[in-house]
């Protein structure tokens, strides 16, 4: 039992432990599960990290590669930088070299310009030394006809190299001619051109050149100048040379070449380039003009711009073909006109900008002929005569030029004066000048008229000005007089006011003294009884005569006695005066009238305590009561008063203390003067004037009239003599003026 119990207990314990173990197992299995989940997460994380690691490894590899590339590049850049530095240094070196080369080039350019100039001068000197006018002589071979006729050469060319030509005569006599060069019949075109080739350079250097062929008809002039297709003459060759030199100089010079062609036929000029395209009948006549010294121009002549030899030759050939040619006994194709080809060259030196303008004249003259020999008739005869005439004139011109004669007979030549034509004036130009002169004259005339009228206006204005000046002076004089008069009146008014004030003060003081004495008397009577009164005693009274004396003293110094309590201050006096004036305007007006008008007998005589200066103007002093009042209506009787704005400001007193006082007085005076004095229009004389037209003018007029009236009354009011002369009035005026100074 016990065993059973033990076994049961053991079983129970084993069961409990089993349960615990089961629980433990469960916990462990749960823990294992959670660990497995965690492991799974860790595995995932690990794989992610592995992937990241892999990516980073790849990136690292790429960066490494890039780094290597960049390293290579940086090395290359370093090399480039060093190369660039070297290049910069090289460029700087080149720049400095260029600068030095440029300055060198500039120097060389200058030197070259100088050298070119020197060369040009030397070349020109050489040409001059050879002769500005050079004469070459060419003899053609005998033609078939001459040979057939059995003619022989009459010229000896033994000394041709020295420029001598010997003409054998029929007799034994020989004639020797000297030329710059002599070409024998065997010498070809090229040989002839050799002597003329240098002129092409002269033309391009800016010099004018003229080559012409002169000679008897049929002697080979046209052949020499024009030549044939197989044997080109001077014209072709010199043009060819010209363009060759232009080509050589194209780096240094720029040229502009134009050509023209004209002929002088029967002393008339025709444009061959124009006639080449149009019928000769329609061509207009041309004339040679000298536009400046040594510069000639044919207005209206066609000038063809050419840029190369072919163009130039084509143009000149067109002209040559249009030339008048006729058959004569001497020459089957005789030129009946002078053919002139002109090549105009405008050059510009590209180095220094120097410009040149030159001309090359190539002239094939018509041949001189003996009319008798050629047996010319009709048109041919006329042509021959004109040709001979013009050639003769040309001979004279050349002779004069060669001998450097002062007078060159250009006027004899017409058409062949291309070398140096005299200055001609265009008819159209002349008429234009005439028109201009006419207009200028008209302008001049109209301007003269304007000036005259202006002078008259000025004169009249000056006269008016003078009159105005005179008027102004008169007015100024009047104003001065009025001003002085006004000052006098002010003075009088001031004195009057002072007197009035003094009188008032005196009267008041008298009254006060009287009242005081009465009071004292009363007091005396009141204090003593009747019994005590001494009837014999007399009250000591101030003598009656003493008061006026005292008053007189006070009146003399109304503003100075400050000890007296009854004495008025200046302001009080002023206010008193104003009060009085306001209270009794009639009296004030009367008072004013006293100052302005003749109060005469109506006014009571008052002794002025302040000595007044002697008055000679306007009206008598108040003391002049003896003077009878004028019976006739005085101009002052016509005076009426009316209020108006202040006329003239009183002069400012300079005294500082008295300034306020004087201002006060002035204000009173101003107020009294504001009642302006106006004279009624007089029946004559001053009737034209308007009273009150202007404040100042009215016052001036009024006072002036009053003054005149006073001046008229002077003799009546006790003046010396019945009719005082006008000078007396002036004297009075002067005296009045003297008061103010
Ligand atoms: N040096 C020369 N060699 C060969 N032939 C020449 C020579 N000079 C002139 N002639 C020939 O002589 C002829 C007359 O010459 P050309 O017409 O040039 O004379 P010209 O002086 O111009 O006469 P014109 O004044 O009448 O016009 C032409 O047939 C020309 O071929």
């Amino acid at each position: 039992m016990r065993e059973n119990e033990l076994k049961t207990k053991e079983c129970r314990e084993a069961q409990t432990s089993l349960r615990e173990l089961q629980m433990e197992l469960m916990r462990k299995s749960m823990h294992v599960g959670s660990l497995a989940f965690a492991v799974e997460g860790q595995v995932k994380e690990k794989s992610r990290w592995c992937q990241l690691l892999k990516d980073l490894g790849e990136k690292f590899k790429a960066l490494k590669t890039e780094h290597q590339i960049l390293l290579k590049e940086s090395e290359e850049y370093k090399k480039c930088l060093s190369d660039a530095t070297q290049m910069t240094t090289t460029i700087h070196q080149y720049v400095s070299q260029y600068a030095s080369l440029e300055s060198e080039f500039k120097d060389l350019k200058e030197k070259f310009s100088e050298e070119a100039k020197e060369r040009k001068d030397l070349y020109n000197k050489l040409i001059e030394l050879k002769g500005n006018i050079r004469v070459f002589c060419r003899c053609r071979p005998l033609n078939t006809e001459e040979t057939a006729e059995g003619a022989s050469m009459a010229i000896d060319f033994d000394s041709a190299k020295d420029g001598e030509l010997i003409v054998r005569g029929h007799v034994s006599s020989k004639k020797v001619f000297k030329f710059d060069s002599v070409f024998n019949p065997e010498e070809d075109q090229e040989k002839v051109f050799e002597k003329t080739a240098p002129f092409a350079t002269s033309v391009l250097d800016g010099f004018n050149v003229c080559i012409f062929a002169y000679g008897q008809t049929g002697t080979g002039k046209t052949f020499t100048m024009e030549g044939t297709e197989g044997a080109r003459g001077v014209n072709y060759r010199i043009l060819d040379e010209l363009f060759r030199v232009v080509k050589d100089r194209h780096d240094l010079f720029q040229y502009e070449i134009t050509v023209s062609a004209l002929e002088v036929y029967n002393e008339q000029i025709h444009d061959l380039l124009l006639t080449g395209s149009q019928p000769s009948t329609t061509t207009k006549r041309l004339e040679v003009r000298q536009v400046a010294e040594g510069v000639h121009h044919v207005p209206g002549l066609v000038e063809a711009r050419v840029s190369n030899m072919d163009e130039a030759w084509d143009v000149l050939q067109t002209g040559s073909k249009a030339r008048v040619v006729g058959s004569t006994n001497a020459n089957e194709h005789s030129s009946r006109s002078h053919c002139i080809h002109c090549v105009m060259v405008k050059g510009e030196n590209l180095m220094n900008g120097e410009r040149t303008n030159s001309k090359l004249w190539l002239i094939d003259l018509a041949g001189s002929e003996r009319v008798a020999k050629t047996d010319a008739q009709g048109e041919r005869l006329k042509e021959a005569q004109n040709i001979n005439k013009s050639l003769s004139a040309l001979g004279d011109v050349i002779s004069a030029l060669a001998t450097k004669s002062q007078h060159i007979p250009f006027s004899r030549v017409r058409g062949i004066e291309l070398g140096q034509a005299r200055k001609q004036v265009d008819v159209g130009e002349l008429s234009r000048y005439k028109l201009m002169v006419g207009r200028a004259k008209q302008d001049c005339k109209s301007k003269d008229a304007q000036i005259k009228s202006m002078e008259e206006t000025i004169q009249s204005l000056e006269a008016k000005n003078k009159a105005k000046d005179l008027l102004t002076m008169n007015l100024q004089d009047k104003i001065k007089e009025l001003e002085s008069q006004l000052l006098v009146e002010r003075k009088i008014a001031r004195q009057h006011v002072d007197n009035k004030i003094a009188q008032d003060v005196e009267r008041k003081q008298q009254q006060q003294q009287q009242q005081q004495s009465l009071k004292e008397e009363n007091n005396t009577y009141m204090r003593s009884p009747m019994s005590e009164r001494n009837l014999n005693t007399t009250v000591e009274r101030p003598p009656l005569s003493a008061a006026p004396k005292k008053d007189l003293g006070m009146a003399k110094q109304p503003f100075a006695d400050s000890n007296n309590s009854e004495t008025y201050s200046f302001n009080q006096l002023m206010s008193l005066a104003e009060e009085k004036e306001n209270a009794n305007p009639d009296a004030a007006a009367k008072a004013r009238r006293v100052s302005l008008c003749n109060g005469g007998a109506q006014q009571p005589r008052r002794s002025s305590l302040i000595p007044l200066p002697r008055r000679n103007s306007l009206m008598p002093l108040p003391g002049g009561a003896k003077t009878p009042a004028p019976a006739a209506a005085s101009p002052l009787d016509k005076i009426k008063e009316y209020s108006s704005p202040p006329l003239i400001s009183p002069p400012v007193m300079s005294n500082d203390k008295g300034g306020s006082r004087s201002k006060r007085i002035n204000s009173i005076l101003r107020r009294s003067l504001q009642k302006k004095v106006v004279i009624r229009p007089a029946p004559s004389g001053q009737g034209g004037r308007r009273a009150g037209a202007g404040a100042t003018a009215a016052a001036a007029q009024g006072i002036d009239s009053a003054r005149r009236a006073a001046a008229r009354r002077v003799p009546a009011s006790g003046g010396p003599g019945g009719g005082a002369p006008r000078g007396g009035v002036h004297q009075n005026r002067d005296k009045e003026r003297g008061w103010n100074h």
Side-chain angles (χ1 to χ4, degrees):
M1 236 352 237
R2 197 174 172 189
E3 278 181 17
N4 280 339
E5 284 177 5
L6 285 168
K7 290 286 183 178
T8 306
K9 197 178 177 183
E10 280 177 8
C11 281
R12 281 177 187 171
E13 285 175 358
Q15 208 172 7
T16 310
S17 62
L18 184 67
R19 277 179 195 161
E20 284 175 358
L21 283 169
Q22 278 179 343
M23 288 294 287
E24 185 71 20
L25 186 66
M26 274 181 73
R27 275 203 301 275
K28 290 285 180 189
S29 63
M30 279 175 74
H31 181 67
V32 167
S34 65
L35 282 172
F37 186 73
V39 166
E40 197 181 346
Q42 286 294 326
V43 168
K44 278 184 182 174
E45 188 72 12
K46 188 190 167 187
S47 65
R48 197 171 62 82
W49 278 110
C50 283
Q51 188 63 37
L52 272 172
L53 194 66
K54 198 180 171 184
D55 291 346
L56 281 170
E58 283 175 3
K59 276 185 182 174
F60 178 72
K61 274 182 184 174
L63 284 168
K64 210 172 175 181
T65 317
E66 202 175 337
H67 174 69
Q68 281 178 350
I69 291 164
L70 284 168
L71 273 173
K72 279 181 185 174
E73 277 182 5
S74 69
E75 281 174 10
E76 282 174 10
Y77 280 131
K78 273 181 186 173
K79 281 181 185 175
C80 281
L81 194 67
S82 63
D83 288 348
T85 315
Q86 279 182 354
M87 275 178 78
T88 312
T89 317
T90 316
I91 286 165
H92 280 300
Q93 284 174 354
Y94 279 133
V95 167
S96 59
Q97 273 181 10
Y98 177 76
S100 64
L101 281 170
E102 202 174 32
S103 64
E104 205 176 330
F105 175 70
K106 204 177 175 183
D107 293 341
L108 284 170
K109 208 169 145 183
E110 282 175 8
K111 278 181 186 172
F112 176 79
S113 295
E114 285 170 11
E115 291 293 329
K117 197 180 173 188
E118 204 176 327
R119 182 205 61 78
K120 194 171 147 182
D121 293 342
L122 285 169
Y123 191 81
N124 190 43
K125 274 181 187 171
L126 183 73
I127 298 288
E128 276 180 14
L129 284 169
K130 283 183 180 176
N132 275 336
I133 299 173
R134 267 176 273 175
V135 184
F136 305 141
C137 180
R138 186 184 191 187
C139 297
R140 66 163 173 81
L142 294 172
N143 57 31
T144 48
E145 286 177 12
E146 287 163 345
T147 312
E149 284 174 5
S152 62
M153 189 65 74
I155 296 166
D156 192 354
F157 295 101
D158 292 342
S159 54
K161 285 182 181 175
D162 300 329
E164 279 185 3
L165 190 134
I166 302 162
V167 180
R168 296 189 217 111
H170 289 290
V171 200
S172 57
S173 61
K174 292 180 183 176
K175 280 196 171 180
V176 181
F177 295 91
K178 184 82 178 166
F179 297 99
D180 289 293
S181 284
V182 174
F183 303 104
N184 60 43
E186 284 77 38
E187 286 179 300
D188 58 1
Q189 301 279 55
E190 196 176 346
K191 200 81 180 170
V192 174
F193 175 67
E194 272 179 17
K195 298 282 180 184
T196 52
F199 296 120
T201 311
S202 285
V203 173
L204 292 173
D205 283 345
F207 296 98
N208 292 325
V209 174
C210 178
I211 302 168
F212 64 85
Y214 174 92
Q216 199 179 335
T217 181
T219 51
K221 297 184 294 297
T222 307
F223 181 81
T224 302
M225 294 305 289
E226 292 278 338
T228 58
E229 205 167 335
R232 296 291 185 192
V234 170
N235 289 359
Y236 184 91
R237 288 171 191 272
I238 201 162
L239 278 175
D240 195 34
E241 175 66 10
L242 199 80
F243 280 102
R244 190 190 64 76
V245 178
V246 167
K247 201 176 177 183
D248 283 353
R249 293 183 177 183
H250 80 278
D251 287 336
L252 305 169
F253 291 89
Q254 192 176 5
Y255 291 103
E256 184 186 311
I257 298 171
T258 50
V259 292
S260 60
L262 59 95
E263 71 169 351
V264 182
Y265 175 68
N266 283 341
E267 297 195 341
Q268 287 172 10
I269 300 168
H270 300 292
D271 191 338
L272 288 174
L273 298 184
L274 214 60
T275 43
S277 58
Q278 293 177 10
S280 60
T281 47
T282 57
T283 56
K284 65 170 183 178
R285 292 176 189 177
L286 301 169
E287 286 187 353
V288 182
R289 303 265 165 73
Q290 182 173 334
V291 289
E293 188 65 36
V295 182
H296 303 90
H297 184 60
V298 183
L301 189 69
V302 174
E303 293 173 356
R305 174 90 185 268
V306 291
S307 56
N308 54 51
M309 175 62 200
D310 292 335
E311 282 180 13
W313 187 243
D314 283 347
V315 173
L316 292 184
Q317 278 299 101
T318 308
S320 296
K321 282 171 188 169
R323 189 181 177 188
V324 177
V325 177
S327 177
T328 62
N329 291 341
N331 190 354
E332 192 182 347
H333 301 284
S334 177
S335 305
R336 310 311 292 166
S337 67
H338 308 295
C339 177
I340 300 159
H341 291 162
C342 183
V343 182
M344 289 147 283
V345 180
K346 285 180 183 173
E348 185 188 352
N349 190 331
L350 298 174
M351 305 271 277
N352 54 16
E354 195 180 273
R355 287 174 184 274
T356 55
N357 207 345
S358 53
K359 285 179 181 176
L360 167 66
W361 299 97
L362 300 167
I363 303 168
D364 178 18
L365 293 169
S368 60
E369 61 187 62
R370 284 187 181 177
V371 180
K373 191 182 174 185
T374 54
D375 197 21
Q377 286 179 350
E379 196 63 24
R380 292 285 168 268
L381 180 64
K382 189 185 169 189
E383 287 168 0
Q385 283 171 345
N386 280 324
I387 290 166
N388 288 340
K389 191 177 157 189
S390 61
L391 288 174
S392 169
L394 178 64
D396 293 341
V397 168
I398 290 169
S399 176
L401 285 171
T403 54
K404 294 183 178 173
S405 171
Q406 281 190 343
H407 174 66
I408 313 295
F410 287 121
S411 56
R412 283 191 60 204
V413 189
R414 191 177 176 188
I416 311 175
E417 58 190 66
L418 287 173
Q420 276 186 342
R422 66 189 167 82
K423 191 168 183 178
Q424 297 176 26
V425 183
D426 187 5
V427 181
E429 218 171 317
L430 197 67
S431 64
R432 206 163 55 245
Y433 287 144
K434 279 180 181 174
L435 207 69
M436 279 165 68
V437 169
R439 276 180 194 165
K441 276 181 182 174
Q442 276 184 352
D443 285 352
C444 221
K445 275 181 185 175
S446 65
K447 276 181 183 173
D448 281 346
Q450 278 180 0
I451 288 165
K452 272 185 182 176
S453 69
M454 279 174 77
E455 278 175 355
E456 282 171 9
T457 314
I458 288 164
Q459 278 177 358
S460 65
L461 284 168
E462 276 177 352
K464 280 180 185 175
N465 213 13
K466 275 181 185 174
K468 276 186 180 175
D469 283 346
L470 209 66
L471 197 69
T472 311
M473 277 170 69
N474 289 338
L475 285 168
Q476 280 175 349
D477 287 346
K478 277 182 184 176
I479 288 163
K480 277 180 187 173
E481 283 175 11
L482 289 167
E483 277 175 359
S484 60
Q485 193 66 35
L486 192 66
L487 284 167
V488 170
E489 292 301 328
R490 274 187 196 152
K491 217 174 224 179
I492 293 161
R494 199 183 301 156
Q495 285 170 1
H496 170 69
V497 170
D498 289 348
N499 289 341
K500 192 88 178 166
I501 290 160
Q503 282 170 8
D504 287 341
V505 170
E506 188 185 346
R507 197 166 57 248
K508 275 201 169 187
Q509 282 179 348
Q510 279 178 359
Q511 282 173 1
Q512 281 173 355
Q513 279 180 353
Q514 280 173 4
Q515 281 173 0
Q516 206 172 354
S517 60
L518 281 170
K519 273 182 186 176
E520 283 174 2
E521 278 178 9
N522 290 335
N523 288 339
T524 312
Y525 291 136
M526 288 289 284
R527 273 197 306 269
S528 60
M530 286 298 284
S531 58
E532 291 177 9
R533 283 181 194 173
N534 187 3
L535 294 172
N536 294 327
T537 53
T538 55
V539 180
E540 284 185 6
R541 292 180 185 177
L544 288 172
S545 58
K549 278 181 185 173
K550 193 180 177 182
D551 290 347
L552 189 65
M554 281 177 70
K556 278 181 180 174
Q557 294 177 340
F559 312 118
D561 194 358
S562 58
N563 295 328
N564 191 349
S565 60
E566 295 297 321
T567 306
Y568 293 91
S569 68
F570 176 74
N571 289 335
Q572 283 172 328
L573 289 171
M574 287 298 107
S575 61
L576 184 69
E578 279 180 42
E579 277 169 19
K580 278 196 128 191
E581 201 171 345
N582 293 333
N584 192 1
D586 291 339
K590 273 183 183 177
R592 278 194 296 278
R593 212 169 285 129
V594 165
S595 68
L596 291 169
C597 313
N598 183 8
Q602 286 81 18
Q603 284 297 107
R605 186 188 172 94
R606 286 177 298 180
S607 60
S608 176
L609 297 177
I610 300 166
L612 294 173
R614 190 183 169 193
R615 297 183 66 214
N616 290 322
S617 72
L618 287 179
M619 61 219 88
L621 289 166
K626 289 174 187 174
T627 310
S634 166
L636 292 175
D637 295 341
K638 297 171 187 174
I639 293 169
K640 66 174 181 180
E641 294 174 3
Y642 73 97
S643 295
S644 71
L647 300 175
I648 302 164
S649 300
V652 178
M653 305 296 276
S654 60
N655 195 355
D656 50 344
K657 279 188 179 177
S660 61
R661 193 179 68 177
S662 60
K663 275 180 189 172
R664 194 81 182 182
I665 293 167
N666 283 334
S667 70
I668 294 161
L669 282 168
R670 200 160 53 241
R671 245 179 285 133
S672 63
L673 283 167
Q674 277 171 13
K675 303 193 173 180
K676 203 168 75 180
V677 182
V678 178
I679 293 181
R680 290 192 193 95
S684 63
Q686 296 174 4
R689 298 185 183 178
R690 277 193 308 130
T696 312
Q701 193 177 5
I703 294 166
D704 192 38
S705 303
R707 182 178 53 75
R708 280 198 295 274
R712 277 201 297 276
R713 275 192 284 109
V714 165
S717 61
R726 195 173 172 77
V729 177
H730 285 293
Q731 264 185 345
N732 292 341
R733 282 180 199 163
D734 293 340
K735 281 178 184 173
E736 283 168 12
R737 279 178 197 134
W739 290 356
N740 299 322
H741 299 299

